[in-house]
Amino acid sequence: MREMDTALAAEMEAAVLRPVLLCEFLLDSGAIRLWSGVGDLTALGETWTGAGTLLGVSDYQETASLEAQGVTFTLSGITSSVIALALLEDYQGRACGLYLGALDAAGVLVADPVRLFSGLLDTMQITDGGETCTLAVAAENKLVILQRAKEARYTDEDQKARYPDDRGLEFVSGLQDREIVWGRA
């Protein structure tokens, strides 16, 4: 079970629940922080911009097993100028996060939101609707790194990248076509 603030846990069990989602994208040009409400929201020491119903997040499910789950963030109703900025941004492999919080009856955040997902941005899909577009960005859990093959070789270059003073593989390439006389006088 995910650890959450006692006030947030109590609010999650209340008769009326006002959940909010917070999405964070840490890009080279700066952080983009959006939340599922309207206006600005201060949480986790940062200001989050309200995207209202224009912000969507795919279903996300945690499992007890150690497997990489992904999530897709969707922003609809955006103009082509924003799409142009998105296309210029180097987004792949950048960190992102998804948080869950709750508001009280006065519309104030109950406690710090709890992190549901932490991962890396992967692919972007743009759907053009004429006047406005929909931008969907898929993110992978950081566990996906464990599924990738490691590119390591038994070469002097790879060995020196790990251990600069090691000369153990320095002469391996010279042995490849060399005739070695073994067991003769």
Side-chain angles (χ1 to χ4, degrees):
M1 179 95 192
R2 192 168 290 279
E3 197 171 308
M4 76 173 58
D5 187 272
T6 54
L8 181 58
E11 190 68 28
M12 292 291 174
E13 294 178 3
V16 177
L17 178 62
R18 297 168 194 87
V20 292
L21 291 175
L22 294 88
C23 304
E24 179 178 48
F25 309 100
L26 303 177
L27 306 174
D28 293 343
S29 61
I32 297 174
R33 294 181 179 90
L34 303 172
W35 75 288
S36 59
V38 179
D40 287 344
L41 176 74
T42 302
L44 303 170
E46 303 290 346
T47 301
W48 303 72
T49 304
T53 59
L54 303 178
L55 177 65
V57 179
S58 68
D59 289 341
Y60 175 70
Q61 184 176 13
E62 284 189 340
T63 61
S65 63
L66 190 63
E67 64 180 281
Q69 296 285 330
V71 67
T72 301
F73 300 96
T74 307
L75 193 58
S76 60
I78 54 179
T79 62
S80 58
S81 61
V82 175
I83 291 292
L85 290 174
L87 290 172
L88 294 174
E89 184 69 45
D90 190 16
Y91 64 91
Q92 284 189 321
R94 302 309 183 268
C96 65
L98 175 64
Y99 301 85
L100 174 66
L103 302 176
D104 62 12
V108 177
L109 201 59
V110 173
D112 279 343
V114 63
R115 183 189 304 253
L116 295 178
F117 175 81
S118 177
L120 303 172
L121 297 175
D122 185 24
T123 58
M124 182 187 319
Q125 181 179 355
I126 299 170
T127 307
D128 189 2
E131 293 291 319
T132 60
C133 298
T134 300
L135 177 72
V137 181
E140 297 176 326
N141 189 301
K142 292 179 181 179
L143 289 175
V144 79
I145 294 170
L146 297 175
Q147 297 173 347
R148 293 188 183 136
K150 299 224 187 271
E151 293 289 327
R153 307 277 187 253
Y154 288 110
T155 64
D156 186 44
E157 292 79 17
D158 273 7
Q159 187 70 7
K160 287 214 187 309
R162 287 188 201 93
Y163 308 102
D165 297 331
D166 190 351
R167 297 181 63 192
L169 297 176
E170 189 172 314
F171 303 103
V172 170
S173 62
L175 294 173
Q176 193 164 14
D177 295 326
R178 187 175 184 121
E179 182 180 334
I180 299 175
V181 179
W182 189 269
R184 292 187 199 168

